[in-house]
């Protein structure tokens, strides 16, 4: 079963990756990169996902979007990516 990994800026502006699960949001597996810039590299994101026990689902590709904020506000980015538990059959 695939789930969605999300890469976003946390409340404090630091990059974090989390896995959207059926559990309440407080229990979602999360990794904080501890920085506001630069955006975590693909290798860093892959390592973070592995550390959380997840891997890329077949054919997965990061999809980026801008979150609406006002015309003069800082742009907020969100990326999503399909993942599965490490070793789980596709």
């Amino acid at each position: 079963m695939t789930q969605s990994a999300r890469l976003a800026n946390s409340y404090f502006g630091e990059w974090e990756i989390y896995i959207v699960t059926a559990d309440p949001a407080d229990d979602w597996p999360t990794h904080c990169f501890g920085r506001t810039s630069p955006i975590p590299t693909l290798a860093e994101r892959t390592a973070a996902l592995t550390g959380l026990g997840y891997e890329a689902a077949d054919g997965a590709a990061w999809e980026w979007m801008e979150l609406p904020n006002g015309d003069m506000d800082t742009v907020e980015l969100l990326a999503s990516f399909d993942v599965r538990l490490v070793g789980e059959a596709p």
Side-chain angles (χ1 to χ4, degrees):
M1 177 173 91
T2 62
Q3 295 170 303
S4 181
R6 307 257 172 92
L7 177 69
N9 289 99
S10 70
Y11 177 77
F12 297 106
E14 294 181 338
W15 286 103
E16 67 180 5
I17 197 167
Y18 57 91
I19 311 299
V20 179
T21 67
D23 296 326
D26 291 344
D27 294 331
W28 288 351
T30 304
H31 172 84
C32 184
F33 291 95
R35 65 176 193 254
T36 58
S37 175
I39 296 170
T41 65
L42 180 57
E44 290 173 314
R45 288 178 260 155
T46 300
L49 289 170
T50 300
L52 294 173
Y54 289 84
E55 63 188 1
D58 291 342
W62 284 98
E63 295 181 26
W64 290 87
M65 66 187 93
E66 287 186 21
L67 301 176
N69 238 354
D71 289 342
M72 301 303 289
D73 290 336
T74 303
V75 172
E76 292 184 37
L77 295 173
L78 173 73
S80 61
F81 186 68
D82 288 337
V83 295
R84 65 175 176 243
L85 287 169
V86 170
E88 186 175 66

